[in-house]
Amino acid sequence: MKKSKNLKRIGAVMLSLVLAVSTVFTTTAVSEKKVSAQAEIKNKKQLQRWALATKLLSDGEKYFDQTKADNKISDKTAAIYTAIEYIWNEDGDAVPVNVFCDSVKNYFAGCDDFNAEKLAAIGENNYFEYKSGDSKVTLKTMQADGGTQECTYIGENEHTDGSKTMYGVWTDPDPAPGDPATPYYVALDIAENGQMTAYRKLEDGSQLNVDIYEFNENGDYVMSYTTASGKAFIPDEKEAGFSYNIQIIDKEKSGTPIEFTDSTLDGNSFNLNLESEDTSIVDTDYDRIIAKDKKGTTNIKYNLRSAESDNVIYSGSIPSTVYSISIDEGNYYGIYLLPGESRQVTANIEGYNGPVSYQWTSAECKIDNQLGKTCKITAPSKEGNPTIVVQAFTGDGEWIGVKEEEIKVTDCKLSFSYRKFVGDHSETASGDTLKVGEAYWFSLDGASFAWDYGNGNRDDSKRQTFYTMDFELNGKHLIATDTEENLSNDELSLSIGAGGGFPNRIIKPKKAGTLTITGTIYRSGNFFRDFKKSYKVEGNTPSPTPVNKPTKPSQPATTTSTKKPTQPTVSVKTTKLKSVKNAKGKKMTIKWAKNTAGNGYQIQYSTSKKFAKGNKTKTISKNKTTSYTIKKLKKKTTYYVRIRTYKKVSGKTYYSGWSSVKKVKIKK
């Protein structure tokens, strides 16, 4: 009669303490197989099998420590463990008594004198049967009901004397009254020769630690987003990592805690599960935390389950806040200061509603009121690009995050440059002579919109203008301002320019003469800088064709060419792509930052990471639109998305560069 295969359920370390026991007699010959303890310690099964055996023993016998004279393992416990090991390995229904005794000696330190006489003295038990004078030890069959207790292997720690300690954690999702609280930790000490010397229950406060952290493009750890109180602060639209480690405190073997990290635990003994209570703020993808553009606080729930049984061993949650910190310097384009100039700047935080304190620092700028929400910065006396840094803290002093802003310190010097339109593009041009009837794109260089400070909000009717560009030809003036109007008179016409960071206009002289352009910029409603330059405008009369000589035909203008096109002169500010997410019904919703430097946007999406083939484009004709949903996508497909701005000038369309690329997998 063979032993029941149901014992394999115990082999998976899922066991019931209610066992059906029967005695098995056999005459089957069994080869003398010696169980090697040294081989077993190389595998986590060594700990799990011993843990199983101890669960089948009484509480008074399960823990022992051979290093302590009064805590030697009993002959009965050693023999029962050995019998279970044979049953586990399915080494037959009986074992020669001398082989059985040798196995006991090999497994346990301090059992060198174990013999058949001691074996016979153990008497009746549920695991084996042996009577004095028998040649074999008869093994018994054990069947396990589907229980819930489990010892999960954590890892091992080697010691300087060649010995090692294996650690495990016991869990029981449905403990009986009076059972110890779970999880609790156990240790199995193995001598250098492979013998077990101790099986101990740890009482020193071992624990699980979790962390949400920033990683770089290579996936390497950069810094923690988790505070000492167990809260996480994650910058908006940031992808963070989730890690965990088990900290074992075993004062008998180590003066410092022993850590087992997720890199060695995950997938071996444990499976991680993450879930966000509000996926509009934070979403999860295995061990990744995806912060959305919506700011606020939600809980990220986590649990660690046994890879073998799916028992929940640890569970908890981390309050996680998605936030953004900004420095309000009164200008969308950044901070430009003259050498030695001062400016009030203010820190703002979105997503966190609790008390906040700030700390300002700078290696090169002078900072007044370093601990205030608003501080005064004073630029260094020489030109350069210093930075200011503001850190935000909770009311309890825990670090939330940091914002770093670069300042440009320079003396504002203005000048003019222009490009000449040729066909459907423009080319760099120079000189002081222009032609009647030809179009030129003039830029007031040095007048970065970052100098537009103190003039008021652009949408405010009381705003003071930032710049004027006065075009005078033959005594008649056309004055362009930042209200961006097309202007015209008998002498010339002005068209609205495009982005590029500087005031600009496209002009077309109608008559010959002297064109004088004066550019002026203002700060706080007062004159700040100006620059004047004159150009000669000549008539554009074609040269006469020579008589009796054939005229070489001119090349027709084309809109396409095999040559690389010249970069358009009209530059348009790039649009920031904020998020791309899967929506129910095989859709994706795309969001971006509003960009009024252009007339509209182009969205391009593809299944090719490099947009090498199969690209599809959607045009958004209103620059105030900041989101769009694309439908009829393929499920289980990853799409790559980017966006750019377009600007129409004088009947021609110009584009910004593409934004950074975001990807989304269509799962629903």
Side-chain angles (χ1 to χ4, degrees):
M1 179 177 177
K2 283 199 169 185
K3 298 189 299 297
S4 169
K5 298 290 186 181
N6 287 334
L7 186 61
K8 284 297 183 182
R9 286 201 293 269
I10 299 181
V13 203
M14 287 293 295
L15 66 146
S16 169
L17 299 185
V18 181
L19 300 175
V21 182
S22 63
T23 305
V24 177
F25 296 93
T26 180
T27 57
T28 305
V30 179
S31 61
E32 296 188 3
K33 179 180 177 181
K34 186 174 181 179
V35 179
S36 170
Q38 183 63 40
E40 286 294 333
I41 67 172
K42 297 179 180 178
N43 192 292
K44 66 180 182 179
K45 294 301 182 184
Q46 178 74 11
L47 171 68
Q48 291 178 323
R49 292 181 183 187
W50 173 253
L52 168 62
T54 60
K55 273 297 177 183
L56 300 175
L57 298 168
S58 67
D59 287 343
E61 295 177 313
K62 67 171 60 175
Y63 299 112
F64 72 95
D65 189 343
Q66 179 61 32
T67 63
K68 299 177 181 178
D70 58 347
N71 200 9
K72 178 181 179 297
I73 188 170
S74 70
D75 293 337
K76 178 180 178 181
T77 299
I80 288 175
Y81 173 85
T82 304
I84 292 174
E85 185 72 27
Y86 275 108
I87 296 171
W88 194 307
N89 289 326
E90 298 188 32
D91 289 324
D93 297 325
V95 182
V97 64
N98 63 318
V99 174
F100 190 94
C101 292
D102 285 344
S103 295
V104 173
K105 296 175 185 178
N106 288 333
Y107 272 117
F108 296 98
C111 293
D112 296 340
D113 58 350
F114 190 87
N115 54 30
E117 182 180 349
K118 290 189 174 185
L119 186 61
I122 293 172
E124 182 70 22
N125 62 79
N126 294 329
Y127 310 99
F128 66 89
E129 182 174 324
Y130 176 73
K131 294 181 180 178
S132 181
D134 289 349
S135 63
K136 296 181 181 295
V137 178
T138 303
L139 306 175
K140 295 182 179 182
T141 296
M142 299 178 295
Q143 295 181 341
D145 296 334
T148 59
Q149 296 188 62
E150 179 182 18
C151 183
T152 302
Y153 175 79
I154 295 174
E156 61 184 39
N157 185 42
E158 294 188 359
H159 308 299
T160 55
D161 62 358
S163 65
K164 64 174 62 176
T165 300
M166 294 179 176
Y167 296 99
V169 55
W170 272 99
T171 53
D172 186 354
D174 187 24
D179 279 2
T182 58
Y184 66 90
Y185 299 84
V186 292
L188 180 64
D189 295 330
I190 310 292
E192 186 177 15
N193 64 2
Q195 292 179 318
M196 287 184 277
T197 60
Y199 179 73
R200 303 174 285 117
K201 181 178 179 181
L202 301 182
E203 306 287 352
D204 298 324
S206 300
Q207 62 188 7
L208 174 79
N209 301 307
V210 298
D211 186 27
I212 295 175
Y213 64 92
E214 178 185 354
F215 59 87
N216 60 22
E217 59 184 9
N218 297 321
D220 299 325
Y221 181 94
V222 176
M223 60 176 288
S224 176
Y225 289 141
T226 311
T227 68
S229 65
K231 300 174 184 177
F233 292 93
I234 312 168
D236 63 330
E237 300 183 74
K238 190 79 172 181
E239 185 172 333
F242 184 96
S243 66
Y244 63 91
N245 69 71
I246 297 176
Q247 187 180 76
I248 299 294
I249 301 174
D250 186 359
K251 293 181 180 178
E252 289 192 22
K253 293 294 182 179
S254 175
T256 58
I258 306 160
E259 289 191 353
F260 297 95
T261 66
D262 54 357
S263 61
T264 57
L265 294 169
D266 202 14
N268 182 22
S269 296
F270 301 93
N271 289 327
L272 172 68
N273 296 274
L274 296 176
E275 181 183 356
S276 171
E277 288 187 351
D278 189 341
T279 56
S280 67
I281 297 175
V282 173
D283 209 349
T284 61
D285 183 9
Y286 182 51
D287 62 349
R288 290 290 184 255
I289 310 295
I290 301 102
K292 303 297 188 67
D293 59 341
K294 180 181 178 181
K295 303 166 186 66
T297 300
T298 187
N299 285 317
I300 297 176
K301 299 179 181 179
Y302 63 87
N303 64 62
L304 279 181
R305 295 175 178 267
S306 163
E308 295 189 9
S309 69
D310 207 37
N311 270 4
V312 175
I313 301 173
Y314 304 97
S315 63
S317 66
I318 301 179
S320 300
T321 298
V322 175
Y323 72 94
S324 67
I325 301 174
S326 60
I327 297 176
D328 181 7
E329 70 287 342
N331 191 304
Y332 173 82
Y333 293 89
I335 305 175
Y336 274 39
L337 295 175
L338 298 171
E341 186 180 13
S342 297
R343 172 83 58 86
Q344 294 283 342
V345 293
T346 302
N348 292 296
I349 189 167
E350 293 182 71
Y352 180 69
N353 298 321
V356 180
S357 62
Y358 299 94
Q359 180 176 351
W360 298 84
T361 56
S362 176
E364 299 171 86
C365 296
K366 179 184 176 183
I367 302 288
D368 291 337
N369 192 25
Q370 289 183 313
L371 301 181
K373 177 180 175 68
T374 298
C375 75
K376 184 173 78 170
I377 60 172
T378 302
S381 59
K382 61 181 181 179
E383 294 186 341
N385 297 287
T387 59
I388 56 172
V389 177
V390 61
Q391 298 181 79
F393 301 85
T394 68
D396 296 328
E398 292 188 315
W399 192 77
I400 297 175
V402 63
K403 173 68 175 179
E404 182 175 323
E405 187 96 353
E406 184 178 84
I407 300 171
K408 187 171 182 63
V409 178
T410 183
D411 187 8
C412 181
K413 297 177 181 179
L414 305 183
S415 63
F416 283 115
S417 66
Y418 69 92
R419 297 173 69 92
K420 179 181 178 181
F421 281 89
V422 179
D424 64 345
H425 65 274
S426 64
E427 297 177 349
T428 302
S430 61
D432 299 336
T433 302
L434 311 178
K435 295 281 188 179
V436 171
E438 295 185 345
Y440 304 88
W441 180 76
F442 270 85
S443 173
L444 181 56
D445 297 334
S448 167
F449 287 101
W451 290 112
D452 183 5
Y453 176 75
N455 294 315
N457 191 299
R458 286 182 174 272
D459 299 326
D460 189 348
S461 60
K462 297 181 180 180
R463 168 180 163 79
Q464 300 292 322
T465 189
F466 166 54
Y467 73 86
T468 61
M469 293 178 70
D470 185 346
F471 296 83
E472 179 191 0
L473 181 58
N474 298 329
K476 293 185 177 181
H477 295 259
L478 288 179
I479 301 176
T481 69
D482 46 21
T483 57
E484 294 199 348
E485 295 179 283
N486 291 325
L487 304 171
S488 180
N489 60 20
D490 295 340
E491 307 299 321
L492 77 162
S493 63
L494 297 183
S495 299
I496 297 172
F502 302 103
N504 57 84
R505 281 296 186 275
I506 297 171
I507 72 168
K508 182 180 288 187
K510 299 177 181 179
K511 295 180 181 180
T514 299
L515 173 66
T516 301
I517 310 176
T518 304
T520 306
I521 60 175
Y522 300 84
R523 298 178 86 193
S524 300
N526 299 313
F527 169 83
F528 181 54
R529 294 285 192 277
D530 67 354
F531 183 78
K532 180 186 290 187
K533 185 173 178 64
S534 295
Y535 300 85
K536 182 180 180 181
V537 180
E538 295 181 342
N540 191 18
T541 304
S543 302
T545 303
V547 180
N548 298 326
K549 288 186 178 181
T551 303
K552 183 179 180 181
S554 60
Q555 296 294 323
T558 61
T559 57
T560 61
S561 172
T562 57
K563 297 180 179 179
K564 185 177 180 181
T566 305
Q567 178 69 26
T569 184
V570 179
S571 58
V572 187
K573 182 183 175 183
T574 303
T575 294
K576 179 182 179 181
L577 182 61
K578 298 179 72 175
S579 67
V580 180
K581 65 180 180 179
N582 182 202
K584 189 175 181 181
K586 294 183 287 187
K587 304 173 187 176
M588 64 177 170
T589 299
I590 304 161
K591 294 184 179 182
W592 60 90
K594 184 167 68 174
N595 184 355
T596 56
N599 299 114
Y601 311 92
Q602 270 194 349
I603 298 170
Q604 191 174 78
Y605 61 102
S606 175
T607 55
S608 168
K609 186 175 183 180
K610 296 183 178 180
F611 293 83
K613 59 181 179 179
N615 301 340
K616 294 185 179 181
T617 302
K618 174 65 182 178
T619 300
I620 310 297
S621 59
K622 295 182 179 180
N623 62 11
K624 292 184 179 180
T625 301
T626 57
S627 67
Y628 186 78
T629 298
I630 295 175
K631 306 175 182 178
K632 298 181 180 179
L633 301 173
K634 293 182 180 180
K635 202 168 183 179
K636 298 182 181 179
T637 300
T638 298
Y639 288 89
Y640 299 87
V641 183
R642 60 185 182 180
I643 191 171
R644 65 180 178 179
T645 316
Y646 72 85
K647 175 83 172 179
K648 291 185 176 180
V649 179
S650 299
K652 302 184 185 300
T653 303
Y654 301 91
Y655 297 94
S656 72
W658 288 108
S659 69
S660 58
V661 176
K662 292 187 180 292
K663 67 178 180 179
V664 61
K665 186 171 184 178
I666 305 304
K667 299 179 180 178
K668 55 186 176 179

